[in-house]
Amino acid sequence: MSLLDDFIEQNRPGRGGDLPDPAQDNAFRVNIGEGYIPASLGINKSGIFWLDKVDFTISSRILALSVANSILFIVFEGGKLLRINLQKANDITEIEIPLAKSDSLGQPKLYVDPTARHVLISTPQGANFYRLEGWAKAKPLNKFKGMFITALAWNRSLMAVSGASTSTHPILLGTHSGEVWEAELQASDELFKSDIKYFHKAREDTSVYELPLQERVLGLHAEPFPVDPKTYFVIMTTQTRIYQFVSQVDLFTGGSDQSLFRQLFKNNAMNPNYQEIPGEGGAGTLYLYTKSRGLDIQAASSAIVWLTSMGIYYGELVYGSQKPGGSVVKGASLLPYPDDDGGAEASELPISAALTEFHIILLYKGRLKAICILNN
């Protein structure tokens, strides 16, 4: 019986209550205009979850937001990127996004690496920008022009080894047209020198990596096995499919004539591992949980969530002797979305999620909901 059959036959389990109401008197307030973040928040932490108010003094609309390593990045309409250090009261930096006069950000994608040193912004119009820690202005990536990057896989393990590097190391880029590219960004302060060390398609056989109907890549993750750093797995998601690729790689390749991931995709060409959950409307995005302390970005991911139209695909990750065509996801299940509480249309699906050790946090247009992984 398939995962989808199990989902259809199972009874919907009871759901817990909504998140506790935020304590209005203990709201967390931030005034960006004055550059002030209170050192003592006075948050009431009596419940499992709590909400804190954040007040912004802004002159334009927020288009995208991302947090990594306690650093918050916000993209604003008009071409402004704001960097806020959540651990220091006055550490707020405004960064220019050099848009051409005829360009607009639209609804951009914002990608921040686990160290918060590297930032990539991609627009639906195909304009792409890169910013390294310390830069006052992002740089346009002209070689990426015309490509809307809808998913990105950072190379966490190599970043951990190199520390505060000016290189992203090999990363994977998924596009709106269903293509996967591999690139390495090597930052340069020279005005006319490209920041792209190399850039090419991470595939040779298009029948394997050209996704059906040019379905856009919505989730992308690459990571080595903790017991064997030469064995990598890549997970890729679309609105209806989840793909897995497992293979050994040559860690010493990379550069203009080499590729870290090309052999991985080639080795999985004959027996690609994928699962399909049909339907429309699901976010299709991918989230992984890594139990780490501080900035231990070498810690292995242990669980996965994929937002589908039918429910929440959840499974644990196991690392063993998997070969190409194998799976690292164990005990996958399809959890139904929480029952509607009257606050929105029953058909509304979450637009984003976060995965913790024991909960899946779902973001809707006007509220948050949490599901306990232990009892659904």
Side-chain angles (χ1 to χ4, degrees), residues 4 48 82 225 241 289:
L4 186 57
I48 297 178
L82 204 65
F225 280 33
R241 286 188 176 187
Y289 171 71

Side-chain angles (χ1 to χ4, degrees), residues 114-170:
T115 68
R117 289 181 53 80
H118 305 275
V119 177
L120 194 147
I121 302 166
S122 185
T123 75
Q125 292 77 24
N128 295 280
F129 305 91
Y130 170 67
R131 189 258 181 183
L132 177 69
E133 178 64 22
W135 289 2
K137 183 178 180 179
K139 285 188 177 183
L141 297 173
N142 294 325
K143 202 167 185 180
F144 290 4
K145 190 171 180 62
M147 183 173 67
F148 182 27
I149 301 169
T150 51
L152 189 152
W154 298 103
N155 204 320
R156 296 191 315 157
S157 60
L158 293 183
M159 285 180 173
V161 173
S162 61
S165 173
T166 58
S167 170
T168 63
H169 301 286

Side-chain angles (χ1 to χ4, degrees), residues 218-219 237-242 277-288 304-314 333-338 349-355 360-364 369 371:
L218 295 171
T237 59
T238 70
Q239 200 170 56
T240 61
R241 286 188 176 187
I242 179 169
I277 298 180
E280 297 180 357
T285 43
L286 175 70
Y287 307 91
L288 287 90
I304 180 177
V305 156
W306 171 40
L307 297 184
T308 78
S309 62
M310 299 291 292
I312 306 164
Y313 178 100
Y314 172 81
S333 59
L334 198 60
L335 309 176
Y337 290 119
L349 297 177
I351 57 178
S352 186
L355 183 58
I360 302 168
I361 314 297
L362 301 174
L363 172 66
Y364 293 83
K369 286 197 170 187
I371 299 176

Side-chain angles (χ1 to χ4, degrees), residues 42-366:
I43 301 171
N44 180 3
K45 300 183 179 180
S46 59
I48 297 178
F49 304 102
W50 61 93
L51 298 176
D52 307 324
K53 278 193 174 182
V54 179
D55 292 337
F56 288 94
T57 302
I58 59 174
S59 57
S60 56
R61 188 165 62 99
I62 293 175
L63 300 179
L65 181 151
S66 185
V67 178
N69 194 23
S70 296
I71 304 295
L72 167 66
F73 287 92
I74 306 174
V75 177
F76 291 98
E77 197 172 41
K80 181 173 69 174
L81 175 67
L82 204 65
R83 178 193 183 277
I84 305 174
N85 188 333
L86 299 178
Q87 301 296 324
K88 296 182 180 179
N90 297 307
D91 190 355
I92 300 174
T93 306
E94 184 175 316
I95 301 146
E96 179 187 350
I97 303 173
L99 286 171
K101 292 183 178 180
S102 58
D103 290 340
S104 67
L105 286 171
Q107 199 65 43
K109 296 288 187 179
L110 171 64
Y111 304 102
V112 181
D113 85 294
T115 68
R117 289 181 53 80
H118 305 275
V119 177
L120 194 147
I121 302 166
S122 185
T123 75
Q125 292 77 24
N128 295 280
F129 305 91
Y130 170 67
R131 189 258 181 183
L132 177 69
E133 178 64 22
W135 289 2
K137 183 178 180 179
K139 285 188 177 183
L141 297 173
N142 294 325
K143 202 167 185 180
F144 290 4
K145 190 171 180 62
M147 183 173 67
F148 182 27
I149 301 169
T150 51
L152 189 152
W154 298 103
N155 204 320
R156 296 191 315 157
S157 60
L158 293 183
M159 285 180 173
V161 173
S162 61
S165 173
T166 58
S167 170
T168 63
H169 301 286
I171 59 176
L172 291 176
L173 311 172
T175 73
H176 69 291
S177 57
E179 294 181 325
V180 177
W181 298 71
E182 180 179 339
E184 180 176 352
L185 304 181
Q186 177 68 58
S188 170
D189 290 327
E190 296 180 32
L191 182 60
F192 297 107
K193 187 175 180 180
S194 172
D195 292 303
I196 303 175
K197 186 174 181 180
Y198 73 92
F199 173 60
H200 52 237
K201 288 184 179 180
R203 62 170 190 269
E204 292 180 330
D205 186 349
T206 56
S207 65
V208 174
Y209 308 110
E210 283 286 352
L211 298 180
L213 303 176
Q214 293 189 327
E215 199 172 19
R216 70 172 54 191
V217 181
L218 295 171
L220 197 56
H221 182 85
E223 186 174 334
F225 280 33
V227 294
D228 181 10
K230 290 187 177 182
T231 299
Y232 265 71
F233 74 92
V234 172
I235 297 180
M236 184 191 322
T237 59
T238 70
Q239 200 170 56
T240 61
R241 286 188 176 187
I242 179 169
Y243 296 82
Q244 296 185 59
F245 305 89
V246 179
S247 176
Q248 284 200 332
V249 300
D250 186 354
L251 294 177
F252 298 100
T253 62
S256 59
D257 300 321
Q258 299 289 338
S259 167
L260 178 65
F261 294 103
R262 174 177 285 143
Q263 192 62 40
L264 177 144
F265 286 104
K266 185 177 180 180
N267 290 346
N268 286 267
M270 297 301 295
N271 187 27
N273 184 314
Y274 75 89
Q275 193 162 13
E276 184 169 7
I277 298 180
E280 297 180 357
T285 43
L286 175 70
Y287 307 91
L288 287 90
Y289 171 71
T290 302
K291 187 174 183 179
S292 61
R293 294 182 179 180
L295 194 57
D296 182 12
I297 57 178
Q298 280 190 301
S301 298
S302 58
I304 180 177
V305 156
W306 171 40
L307 297 184
T308 78
S309 62
M310 299 291 292
I312 306 164
Y313 178 100
Y314 172 81
E316 297 181 350
L317 298 181
V318 293
Y319 306 94
S321 57
Q322 291 96 328
K323 302 297 182 183
S327 173
V328 295
V329 181
K330 176 185 177 182
S333 59
L334 198 60
L335 309 176
Y337 290 119
D339 294 324
D340 179 54
D341 57 4
E345 296 181 3
S347 60
E348 183 187 357
L349 297 177
I351 57 178
S352 186
L355 183 58
T356 73
E357 187 172 6
F358 299 113
H359 292 86
I360 302 168
I361 314 297
L362 301 174
L363 172 66
Y364 293 83
K365 290 182 179 179

